[in-house]
Amino acid sequence: MTANTQTTTRNQTEVGYEVSKFAFGTGMAMAGLIGLWGTACLVSALVSVGPLSVVKGYFTAMLG
């Protein structure tokens, strides 16, 4: 005599954890892109007008 047994397994994922992991990854990717864009803009300014003009413009912008 043989007995048939059926077992089922369930994998439960926490939606909040997955959503926060995705949001964190997306935020880090956006921060990286913004950092690269800012660096590219700074290098472009340094090449086009020179470092002294960039420093002078920075202090002019901060002091008014």
Side-chain angles (χ1 to χ4, degrees):
M1 179 163 159
T2 61
N4 291 333
T5 57
Q6 183 178 4
T7 59
T8 59
T9 58
R10 290 179 58 185
N11 291 335
Q12 292 182 342
T13 58
E14 293 189 27
V15 175
Y17 173 74
E18 295 296 328
V19 168
S20 67
K21 192 166 90 170
F22 175 75
F24 180 74
T26 303
M28 291 299 289
M30 292 304 294
L33 287 173
I34 291 169
L36 284 173
W37 185 259
T39 303
C41 288
L42 180 62
V43 168
S44 171
L46 287 172
V47 167
S48 91
V49 296
L52 292 178
S53 265
V54 171
V55 171
K56 179 184 170 195
Y58 177 75
F59 283 119
T60 303
M62 288 297 136
L63 299 177

